[in-house]
Amino acid sequence: MATAIIMPKAGMAMEEGTVVKWMKAEGEPVEKGEPLLEILTDKVNMEVEAQVTGTLIKILKKEGEAVPVTQTIGYIGERGEKVEETENAGTETKQEEKKKEAPKTADPEQVKLVSATGKVAATPAARRIAAEKNIELTKVKATGAYGEIKERDVLSYQGIVISPLAKRAAEANGIDPSTVSGSGYNGKVLMQDIASKLEADTPAESEASAATPATQGSAAGQITADGKEILEEEPYSGIRKIIGDRLAQSKFTAPHLYFTQKVNLDKLLEVRKQINEAQEKKTSVTDYIARATIKALQKYPDLNESLVGDNIVKYKSINLGIAVAAPGGLIVPVVKNANQKTVVELSKEASALFEKARTGKLKPDEYTGGTFTISNLGMFGIENFTAIINPPEVGILAVSATKDEPLVVADEKGNKTIQIKPMMNITLTVDHRVIDGLLAAQFVTEIKRLLENPIELMI
């Protein structure tokens, strides 16, 4: 019997993958464990290995196609074996086949409970939506554990399937899911669809911008209806779309609050110079910022948590994400258990991850599982910026460039002078749903204190 090849789910946030390249053609032999195809997952390319030995008898999804996770994309079987050319063919298990053969009985999750008065059992939310939409509950299929109609059943009756995250965003912004066109599998409404709806409903800055027609064609050199010459046009997809969807998800669901401190790096740069002179592995300023952030997270563990559904999950492990620019876009390698590492150990591990990121060789477990993130644009000369939180984390630290600036310095007697010092801005972004302003201020101030007293980073 043919074995289905499915689109793997490489990470909790992954909803679909793109077939980049088939390494075998139909009819070619395949060995178990041999690379079978390459896919684009959440920001990186990865190889999918064959799970069985046989012949690649059918390819259902061609190169360049985006496929929902766990959907069948091909089959391995015996040479000459035939399968139906659909994604769902050949996926039934023996247990499912036995169910077909068994006598049909009522499924308790599909039976609506009706009281003696004829009132259908339903949750308050389901009744409210049914009333708003003028839907008869007797016509709705129940999926509750005890035969009651749930809110999702009423939405499904309208042909609406919506992700939990998209549902929360829709409620927060007063959007009716039935007015949104879903881009997910089988029309499922995703967070990106709610974001697009919000953008479409936002009034244009001027009548002129609102009336600007769409481009007529996509080839270089063509002219738009309002007189702009096109240089290039490409689809909004792949890594760029993944990044965009995650950023939109974060901004539309988490109220961002920002806190900035100015840091004097005079002592830190001197300590770094001495350490680099004493060893072969050179450390960067980012390594010390990472260590300071870790120590601050240990002092204020409420920043080392996530909002997962209706639960606030606080972590003992500190898995520090450090954003890096890769050829396909921004990606965040994660240093696992960073609280157990010295500055030099952090530097070595982060450097190896950065190299993998730049060459597109990061594995899923090397860019997932973060609990807090640092984004450093100092090397590009950026003097100040704010960063968007990497969900489901509750904070991110934006690090800017070091610049020589005048600073008022007081000596032991209180006498003040103006001196030129290497100064750097750091800006903390927090999710105000779970992090209060006082805590955020204490946290970013602790990072400043540690960076200005770098000897504490060594102990």
Side-chain angles (χ1 to χ4, degrees):
M1 180 177 178
T3 299
I5 306 164
I6 66 168
M7 175 61 68
K9 185 176 178 65
M12 293 181 61
M14 182 179 171
E15 293 186 348
E16 66 177 19
T18 300
V19 178
V20 176
K21 178 182 179 183
W22 284 96
M23 300 177 182
K24 295 285 184 177
E26 286 187 5
E28 289 189 346
V30 176
E31 293 291 332
K32 182 178 179 180
E34 183 181 14
L36 184 60
L37 74 154
E38 184 179 348
I39 63 169
L40 173 66
T41 67
D42 187 4
K43 301 185 183 180
V44 299
N45 288 23
M46 65 176 286
E47 292 181 349
V48 177
E49 297 179 352
Q51 300 301 306
V52 296
T53 296
T55 300
L56 180 58
I57 58 176
K58 193 64 187 177
I59 292 176
L60 294 177
K61 296 298 180 180
K62 299 179 181 178
E63 295 176 359
E65 287 193 61
V67 185
V69 294
T70 73
Q71 187 177 114
T72 303
I73 56 179
Y75 288 96
I76 296 174
E78 297 180 2
R79 181 176 296 278
E81 186 177 355
K82 301 294 183 182
V83 292
E84 295 182 32
E85 297 184 18
T86 65
E87 292 87 346
N88 299 319
T91 59
E92 293 180 336
T93 64
K94 292 183 178 180
Q95 184 178 2
E96 290 170 332
E97 291 173 354
K98 288 181 179 179
K99 282 184 179 180
K100 286 185 175 181
E101 297 171 0
K104 291 185 178 180
T105 57
D107 186 340
E109 292 190 355
Q110 296 180 0
V111 177
K112 286 191 289 290
L113 297 182
V114 182
S115 67
T117 60
K119 187 176 181 180
V120 176
T123 65
R127 293 188 183 280
R128 175 178 55 80
I129 294 177
E132 292 173 355
K133 305 296 182 183
N134 196 26
I135 296 173
E136 293 183 27
L137 287 174
T138 54
K139 297 180 179 180
V140 179
K141 178 181 177 181
T143 63
Y146 301 98
E148 75 278 17
I149 296 175
K150 309 285 284 187
E151 179 185 9
R152 62 173 178 262
D153 303 329
V154 181
L155 291 174
S156 296
Y157 177 78
Q158 291 185 288
I160 301 170
V161 182
I162 185 170
S163 72
L165 185 62
K167 179 176 178 293
R168 290 198 297 271
E171 291 174 348
N173 292 279
I175 294 176
D176 183 351
S178 64
T179 65
V180 180
S181 178
S183 62
Y185 186 51
N186 284 338
K188 184 175 183 179
V189 178
L190 305 177
M191 180 61 215
Q192 64 203 48
D193 304 318
I194 301 298
S196 298
K197 175 68 174 176
L198 279 172
E199 183 178 358
D201 290 348
T202 301
E205 293 182 0
S206 66
E207 292 183 5
S209 61
T212 300
T215 60
Q216 297 177 347
S218 59
Q222 290 196 3
I223 307 298
T224 66
D226 58 347
K228 298 189 291 286
E229 183 178 353
I230 298 174
L231 173 64
E232 184 181 12
E233 185 174 284
E234 60 183 31
Y236 178 55
S237 60
I239 291 177
R240 178 52 53 196
K241 187 173 187 300
I242 292 170
I243 294 172
D245 291 347
R246 287 179 64 83
L247 294 182
Q249 167 191 332
S250 180
K251 284 293 287 185
F252 282 120
T253 56
H256 285 44
L257 197 59
Y258 308 97
F259 300 81
T260 299
Q261 278 281 19
K262 190 176 288 291
V263 183
N264 178 3
L265 293 185
D266 200 10
K267 293 181 181 179
L268 176 62
L269 294 179
E270 181 57 35
V271 169
R272 172 177 174 253
K273 178 182 177 182
Q274 294 177 19
I275 290 176
N276 285 349
E277 288 175 348
Q279 63 172 13
E280 183 177 352
K281 176 65 178 77
K282 306 305 179 186
T283 57
S284 68
V285 172
T286 302
D287 299 327
Y288 297 89
I289 296 170
R291 179 62 180 160
T293 301
I294 293 163
K295 290 183 74 69
L297 287 170
Q298 290 174 313
K299 184 173 182 178
Y300 299 102
D302 285 347
L303 268 294
N304 194 52
E305 63 187 21
S306 295
L307 182 58
V308 183
D310 295 326
N311 296 317
I312 298 174
V313 183
K314 191 178 297 183
Y315 303 105
K316 182 177 181 181
S317 302
I318 296 178
N319 295 344
L320 190 67
I322 305 176
V324 60
L330 191 70
I331 192 167
V332 184
V334 177
V335 179
K336 301 293 177 66
N337 298 310
N339 48 306
Q340 301 174 6
K341 297 175 172 63
T342 65
V343 170
V344 175
E345 289 170 340
L346 284 170
S347 181
K348 289 179 179 178
E349 186 165 340
S351 296
L353 289 171
F354 293 163
E355 181 60 28
K356 283 188 174 183
R358 295 187 183 101
T359 56
K361 295 181 179 179
L362 278 178
K363 297 177 181 178
D365 65 346
E366 292 175 325
Y367 63 87
T368 57
T371 61
F372 191 89
T373 298
I374 295 173
S375 180
N376 188 353
L377 293 180
M379 64 286 294
F380 300 108
I382 303 300
E383 296 186 17
N384 197 33
F385 75 104
T386 57
I388 298 176
I389 296 169
N390 189 21
E393 298 167 18
V394 297
I396 185 171
L397 186 71
V399 181
S400 302
T402 302
K403 299 284 186 180
D404 286 338
E405 297 179 7
L407 180 69
V408 177
V409 179
D411 61 20
E412 295 178 354
K413 296 181 180 180
N415 299 317
K416 297 179 180 179
T417 59
I418 296 178
Q419 301 178 18
I420 302 300
K421 296 291 184 179
M423 305 299 294
M424 174 184 72
N425 286 324
I426 56 173
T427 300
L428 173 69
T429 306
V430 296
D431 183 343
H432 203 18
R433 293 176 298 179
V434 290
I435 303 298
D436 294 327
L438 175 59
L439 174 60
Q442 291 172 327
F443 179 78
V444 73
T445 300
E446 176 66 6
I447 295 177
K448 168 186 169 70
R449 188 190 70 80
L450 289 166
L451 292 174
E452 293 183 346
N453 297 275
I455 192 64
E456 295 188 37
L457 302 178
M458 305 297 115
I459 56 177

